[in-house]
Amino acid sequence: EYTLQLRRQPKQDPRISVLVDYILDHPTKQFTTETLCRITNLSPSTLRRRFKDNTGKSPSTFIPDLRLMVAARRLLVTDARISDIAYQVGFEDPNYFSRMFRKNFGVSPQAYRENAQ
């Protein structure tokens, strides 16, 4: 007997969509769980669950990944110093930024910029 398993896509929660837009508009802001909960009017556990259902990632993974994407773009379109870009996207330690960048993209920020040119 053959049964077809359909995975139901969770409905997009408009509160999470608003939150994601807010995060995209403010990539350098330091977000606390309390801030995210206040924006969405959700409890911490509901926020985490719905955020992951809607984005595939937890807020604590999504936000740094977003910052790294913004930084990668800035590395390509500006001549700003790497440490300045790190600060601009909300990393307080340029060395930590470089480690996270390498972990995410497989190359250092410097090499990423050079490879693109």
Side-chain angles (χ1 to χ4, degrees):
E1 181 180 313
Y2 177 77
T3 58
L4 180 62
Q5 291 285 324
L6 289 177
R7 205 167 146 232
R8 194 169 82 56
Q9 285 298 324
K11 271 189 357 200
Q12 288 290 76
D13 187 321
R15 292 170 292 193
I16 300 301
S17 299
V18 166
L19 179 60
V20 168
D21 288 344
Y22 186 82
I23 294 168
L24 289 169
D25 289 342
H26 304 88
T28 62
K29 189 171 166 68
Q30 296 300 327
F31 293 102
T32 63
T33 300
E34 294 76 38
T35 305
L36 301 177
C37 290
R38 207 168 37 249
I39 292 169
T40 57
N41 200 24
L42 295 170
S43 72
S45 59
T46 302
L47 169 70
R48 279 191 299 276
R49 187 177 68 253
R50 293 208 179 149
F51 197 94
K52 188 162 179 114
D53 286 348
N54 281 248
T55 66
K57 296 180 177 184
S58 67
S60 60
T61 303
F62 180 88
I63 294 169
D65 286 356
L66 171 67
R67 289 186 175 140
L68 290 170
M69 293 299 292
V70 171
R73 174 121 180 86
R74 289 184 184 180
L75 285 167
L76 299 180
V77 300
T78 73
D79 292 328
R81 290 178 29 218
I82 291 168
S83 60
D84 291 341
I85 291 173
Y87 294 126
Q88 288 167 8
V89 299
F91 283 87
E92 294 175 18
D93 177 358
N95 293 322
Y96 177 69
F97 164 75
S98 291
R99 283 197 309 278
M100 297 315 306
F101 193 94
R102 181 185 296 273
K103 187 174 161 198
N104 231 46
F105 292 98
V107 293
S108 70
Q110 184 67 41
Y112 184 85
R113 180 178 263 170
E114 289 167 359
N115 292 341
Q117 292 170 347

